[in-house]
Each structure stands twice: as C-alpha cells, then as structure tokens.
Amino acid sequence: MTKAYINGISCISAQNTIDDSWFFDSITPANGDYFSAIEPSYKDHIAPNLIRRMGRAIKMGVTTANLAIIHADAKKVDAIITGTGLGCFEDSERFLLAMLDNNEQFLTPTSFIQSTHNTVGSQIALIMKCHDYNFTYVHRGFSFESCVLDALMLFEEGKETILVGGIDEHTPNFVTLNRRAHKLELQDTTKPIHQSTSNGVQLSEGSAFFLLSKYKSDKSIAAIEGIKTLYKPKTSEDIFEKLTAFLKLHNLTLSDIDVTLMGFCGNQHFDKYLNDLLPKLTTDTAIASFKNLCGEFYTASAFAMWVATKLIQKQQLPQSIVIAGSEPKHIKYVLVINQYGGVNYSFMLVSQC
Amino acid sequence: MDALIEKLKKQIIEQLNLAEVNPDEVSADSPLFGEGLGLDSIDALELIVLLEKHYGIKIEDPKDGKVIFQSLRTMAEYIKAQGKG
C-alpha cells in the first residue's frame, strides 16, 4: 500500500499541544477521573460569524484542521476524512434537552444541524470551499484508524493531498453518566499507567489533524507506512502474531522499531493483552505510553499519531512517556499499538522520511 | 415600545449566541439581516421559534417574516399588534 507523507499536524488535547513548541514539558494533570482539552482562543482561528453556532468539537476540529493545512502550506486538498466516536455530542445533547424541557415544542434548527457526526468535516469543507471527497467515520475505537486506512487507499486511487483527523468531545452530563456506570476512575499517578490496578479510565477529549500527501516534499515531517485493525482478538498471542505479520509486510521486525507507543488506558481489564505483549516488545524497543497524557476517548489514536510524528520530528523520547526499554539513539520507526475498551486494537506504523 | 425592543434585543443576542455583539451598538431600526446584525436564513428560523416560545405568536406564512424581521422595531410593532407585548 502507498505510504502517506505527513506534511502538517495540529493537535488540541488535555496537554498544551496546540502550542507548537510544547514537547512533553509542563504536564497538565487530569481533573480527577477525567481530562478536559486545553483549548485556544478560537477567535484567533475562526471567523466570529461561524464560531457562534459551533460546539466545542467543531471548534476543536476546524481549528486543528486549519492549522495542519497552514503548517503544510497546502493550497487545496483532494479529500477531507474525519473520524469521531461521539460526533458533536454537545449539540446532540442540547437538542435533546431542549426537546425534553419544552415538551417537544419550539425546537430550533441550529443545534440539530450542528449535531450530526459529519458537521466537523462539512464545516472544514465549507471554509476551504472544498467540493471533493468528504467522509466521516463513526466506528467507535476504529474511527480515526478508518480515516487513515481510507486515505492510504485513496492515494492508490490517485488522490494527492488528503486532510485526516480525529475529534471527540465530552460534556458534563456525559462525564456524570460514565461515572454512574463505573467506567471512570481516578488513576494512581505515582505508578506508570500500565501498572494500574483500576477498573476505570480517565475520560478525555481532543482533536488531531494531519495533512497527508502522496509525495514527499520539504514540508514532510514523517510518513505513515501502514495501518492494521483487529476487532476482539481472542488472545494476546493472536495480537502478537498479527503484529509480526504486519511488520513483515513492511519488511521489518520488532528490532527495527525504535519506539512503541502503547495505548494503556488504566483499566486493568482492558490493558491485559497489552501487558501480556509487553515482555515480548521490551527487549527490542523503547516502550512509551500516551493515554497518561491525553486520557481515553474513541479517537485517542489520533493523539498517538501526533506523538509519533513529534518524536520523529524532534528525535527525542521524553522521559514523561517512557515506561520500559532504553532510549533509542535514533528514532526512525515508531509503532503505535492502541486498544479501546479491550475490543478495538490497532497498529499504526510511522517512519522518518 | 422601547422596553419591548430592549427585551427583544437581549433575547435575540442570547438565542443566536451573538456573544460578540454589544447590545448598546444595536439600534432599533438597523436591519437584522444582511447589513446590521448580519443574520441569515437559519437565524430566521430561530427568530420564528423565539416569537412562538416567548410571545405565543405563530407565524403561519414564512413570507410574512420578511416584513416582521426587518428590524427590532418592526418585530416589536408586530408583537404589540398581536396584543402580546
């Protein structure tokens, strides 16, 4: 499959990632059992007449998409592909609450229009005046992965520049409901996340966008070599077997991987297979975690890809994310192994270019 | 009439999330659409709902909206004419 060159990136997350100079310093802790995104002043990025109708997911998505395009100095894109697990949740909630509060009367159009999952992609297209391919994947823990896979296939079909991103937001009600369902739990930050014995995660939100190109240019920061998704693998051996085959497909073995970013979420049950894999990986690569920084959400893998790209760009592995293995001398290949809910597993391979 | 115009101004700013708009800078006679507040067709639907929700006025023919929603004053006059203000 064709590789994709990453020419521009931007990320809003629970850390100060919107500041391009931020590199794993001044780590912001969670608000107990959940993280909130550190958001910029949107007035600096979006026209006031557009902002007033946008929920946070749309503002985060449009801002990061815009910045990724600016970083890549791209004049146009051939496709816009967005991934989201929850979509524009704030507006969905607003619309449904208005329905309840007003006894299904006096429903206004704005929050309904803005509540659909593809609103972020469509707003980006409207702002960019892009009439080309526009698709939104809502595949729970595979939402962002599906975007990347689609982009790689579109490059094979002749597209040259594609904007890809993952966005999710939470609301106070969503946090409360997850808390009542015992899905959230305060993590013991004195221990690395993979050693957590908790039964919950720290919920979070964010947006990361990538301007991908079929061709390498002086703007290229890194390249996406490939992606693989695994739904409900039966054993950790099954995952390891698929991982070895995935690397072989790219003429690589584990010893070629410089850093492996693993999606430990803090829930000991969901993290079991990743913990089982750990001894098989640590002899060959440095292992790092990312959800201790960004928290857990459906498109946390987009944050992981942002981290992978940054590590390659900076050629440094910050101690705040290392959980095992030794620091590599050079970062050529970064492997992301993510899991969501112990159900959705994925591998993404990012390389220096 | 002036009190109703002020009340409408605040309701519109809140309903349409016009956080950037300073209420003191919106005059009773400046156009709501195009120039002036720069509202659009989605806002027109919001205004129809606003009249129904807050004043119990249902606009049956959308064409009437062009006249009613010209400015804050025309809105207020319409509400008064319906005996609701």
Side-chain angles (χ1 to χ4, degrees):
Chain A
M1 194 174 277
T2 310
K3 71 161 84 170
Y5 292 94
I6 302 171
N7 287 1
I9 58 172
S10 180
C11 180
I12 290 175
S13 71
Q15 303 302 325
N16 191 25
T17 45
I18 192 68
D19 177 354
D20 205 36
S21 63
W22 186 88
F23 189 64
F24 308 93
D25 43 7
S26 61
I27 306 294
T28 306
N31 312 316
D33 55 7
Y34 72 98
F35 284 97
S36 294
I38 296 174
E39 298 175 82
S41 167
Y42 291 114
K43 284 187 287 186
D44 300 339
H45 304 280
I46 309 170
N49 62 327
L50 297 175
I51 284 180
R52 71 186 172 95
R53 290 207 180 107
M54 292 179 174
R56 288 194 314 117
I58 306 170
K59 286 190 272 197
M60 286 194 282
V62 167
T63 300
T64 46
N66 184 35
L67 288 174
I69 292 165
I70 290 169
H71 287 175
D73 200 17
K75 303 292 177 237
K76 69 175 201 65
V77 296
D78 300 326
I80 297 168
I81 315 172
T82 52
T84 176
L86 290 171
C88 300
F89 201 76
E90 187 183 6
D91 278 301
S92 302
E93 197 179 280
R94 189 175 293 148
F95 183 72
L96 292 171
L97 285 172
M99 247 170 123
L100 286 171
D101 292 344
N102 300 316
N103 198 24
E104 298 185 22
Q105 302 290 308
F106 318 123
L107 294 175
T108 56
T110 303
S111 55
F112 175 69
I113 294 166
Q114 302 283 313
S115 69
T116 57
H117 290 76
N118 58 0
T119 310
V120 178
S122 56
Q123 285 288 345
I124 297 165
L126 283 168
I127 292 167
M128 290 189 69
K129 296 182 173 54
C130 172
H131 301 278
D132 283 306
Y133 186 97
N134 194 310
F135 215 92
T136 298
Y137 287 93
V138 187
H139 291 179
R140 297 174 72 90
F142 284 155
S143 301
F144 176 69
E145 284 82 347
S146 303
C147 299
V148 175
L149 184 61
D150 192 8
L152 295 178
M153 290 194 291
L154 283 174
F155 283 134
E156 290 200 340
E157 289 178 10
K159 301 278 187 197
E160 295 181 351
T161 310
I162 301 176
L163 183 67
V164 164
I167 320 101
D168 270 302
E169 68 177 343
H170 61 56
T171 65
N173 281 335
F174 188 67
V175 172
T176 304
L177 290 173
N178 273 277
R179 202 175 277 150
R180 280 188 199 161
H182 306 293
K183 289 186 173 179
L184 308 188
E185 202 167 310
L186 186 70
Q187 301 292 321
D188 178 0
T189 51
T190 60
K191 285 194 295 191
I193 193 166
H194 68 292
Q195 290 172 5
S196 169
T197 53
S198 100
N199 298 312
V201 301
Q202 284 174 310
L203 187 72
S204 192
E205 58 184 359
S207 171
F209 268 81
F210 304 84
L211 198 288
L212 307 181
S213 171
K214 187 175 182 176
Y215 305 109
K216 188 179 174 182
S217 73
D218 58 350
K219 293 283 178 187
S220 301
I221 310 163
I224 301 172
E225 297 281 340
I227 185 161
K228 168 90 181 158
T229 56
L230 296 176
Y231 181 68
K232 285 188 178 173
K234 288 190 171 60
T235 61
S236 59
E237 286 77 21
D238 184 25
I239 301 172
F240 188 70
E241 202 177 287
K242 298 281 188 338
L243 174 62
T244 311
F246 171 72
L247 293 176
K248 194 176 176 188
L249 196 68
H250 298 283
N251 300 314
L252 298 171
T253 64
L254 270 173
S255 59
D256 295 310
I257 304 301
D258 302 297
V259 180
T260 303
L261 282 172
M262 298 186 78
F264 289 106
C265 65
N267 179 316
Q268 58 174 326
H269 309 291
F270 297 161
D271 287 342
K272 186 183 181 305
Y273 286 174
L274 295 193
N275 264 315
D276 290 347
L277 281 177
L278 209 50
K280 294 175 181 166
L281 305 176
T282 43
T283 50
D284 291 311
T285 91
I287 311 289
S289 60
F290 58 92
K291 288 180 184 171
N292 50 320
L293 299 182
C294 75
E296 180 65 307
F297 53 107
Y298 286 114
T299 47
S301 52
F303 177 83
M305 184 168 279
W306 180 87
V307 174
T309 309
K310 276 285 183 183
L311 296 184
I312 287 169
Q313 185 185 34
K314 297 270 187 181
Q315 286 296 305
Q316 285 175 42
L317 180 59
Q319 280 306 307
S320 56
I321 58 171
V322 175
I323 58 173
S326 54
E327 191 171 341
K329 289 187 179 71
H330 184 82
I331 304 175
K332 187 176 181 189
Y333 288 106
V334 179
L335 172 69
V336 177
I337 304 178
N338 189 38
Q339 66 81 25
Y340 185 86
V343 171
N344 304 105
Y345 288 77
S346 62
F347 313 136
M348 296 191 292
L349 182 62
V350 184
S351 69
Q352 192 179 30
C353 62
Chain B
M1 182 67 79
D2 286 348
L4 179 58
I5 287 171
E6 281 307 306
K7 188 177 165 190
L8 265 175
K9 196 189 290 183
K10 283 177 187 154
Q11 285 171 332
I12 289 172
I13 287 172
E14 189 192 338
Q15 179 88 22
L16 305 184
N17 197 20
L18 297 165
E20 300 292 310
V21 174
N22 180 356
D24 298 334
E25 290 172 6
V26 183
S27 81
D29 297 302
S30 56
L32 294 175
F33 292 85
E35 298 295 314
L37 275 183
L39 305 186
D40 58 24
S41 57
I42 296 173
D43 296 316
L45 292 169
E46 295 276 357
L47 292 181
I48 289 171
V49 175
L50 185 148
L51 280 186
E52 194 177 348
K53 186 176 175 181
H54 295 286
Y55 300 94
I57 299 170
K58 201 164 189 171
I59 297 176
E60 300 292 352
D61 188 351
K63 285 177 192 165
D64 294 342
K66 276 191 176 177
V67 181
I68 300 164
F69 299 135
Q70 269 182 5
S71 67
L72 284 167
R73 189 179 302 282
T74 56
M75 273 185 83
E77 283 169 354
Y78 181 74
I79 293 166
K80 284 276 186 198
Q82 303 293 310
K84 304 281 186 177

